[in-house]
Amino acid sequence: MVWRSSVQARILVNLLSYPASFLMILLVASADSSGSRDTSGVVVFGIAAVLMTAWASASAFRARVVVDGESFTVVNTWVTFRYPRTAVSGVASDGLSFLRVDFTDGSSRRCWAIQATNLMLMLRRRTRVDKVADEILEALGGEGRVVSSEPFEVARSWSGLPIHAWVLIAIYVAMVVQWFATT
């Protein structure tokens, strides 16, 4: 089973961050009509736009929690962690704005893909995090499941960026290069 951030959160990221990062480069590149060669503004805003696009894409589209037959996987914004299913001792959600997974060695991992809204936390109502925590425990085998006390190995890897983020970054770099070539 796979749990991701809510569809509304991903749409909000698209509506806010991508146009904002695009406008940052466009405004700075068009504002310099004096003919001077001061390029620091375009470079700074170009780097900021690329970083904003990369972060927004990674956090909105890559973050997820996956439970399959062999493993429990947490894909956060930049790093993916893969654990054996038997290493998960519990899933915490009460009063937290994120999902926290506890392991048999005493460590824990935040799952940034599953987050609660501040309004629901302030109203002390059950949030999506609580529901997902219950579903994950059920997918792992419920409360009476087998939990190993043996040491386990954690596989870490880079989560990567979705293809549309690489395309946007290439467009931003092309815009900056084109601006340098024409001024």
Side-chain angles (χ1 to χ4, degrees), residues 39-103:
T39 59
S40 59
V42 172
V43 170
V44 167
F45 280 98
I47 291 170
V50 166
L51 291 176
M52 181 188 302
T53 300
W55 175 82
S57 294
S59 63
F61 295 100
R62 287 290 190 214
R64 63 188 174 278
V65 176
V66 181
V67 176
D68 58 19
E70 299 288 321
S71 63
F72 178 83
T73 306
V74 176
V75 182
N76 282 333
T77 303
W78 302 112
V79 181
T80 299
F81 301 92
R82 186 178 307 272
Y83 300 91
R85 284 177 66 136
T86 57
V88 178
S89 64
V91 181
S93 64
D94 271 345
L96 300 174
S97 62
F98 53 86
L99 184 71
R100 188 185 79 219
V101 181
D102 299 320
F103 299 98

Side-chain angles (χ1 to χ4, degrees), residues 15-65:
L15 291 176
L16 295 178
S17 67
Y18 299 149
S21 61
F22 182 75
L23 284 174
M24 283 187 342
I25 289 182
L26 209 69
L27 290 174
V28 172
S30 64
D32 187 20
S33 59
S34 64
S36 66
R37 280 302 271 181
D38 182 22
T39 59
S40 59
V42 172
V43 170
V44 167
F45 280 98
I47 291 170
V50 166
L51 291 176
M52 181 188 302
T53 300
W55 175 82
S57 294
S59 63
F61 295 100
R62 287 290 190 214
R64 63 188 174 278
V65 176

Side-chain angles (χ1 to χ4, degrees), residues 153-164:
E153 188 172 317
V154 179
R156 290 182 174 90
S157 62
W158 183 56
S159 296
L161 293 175
I163 190 68
H164 71 273

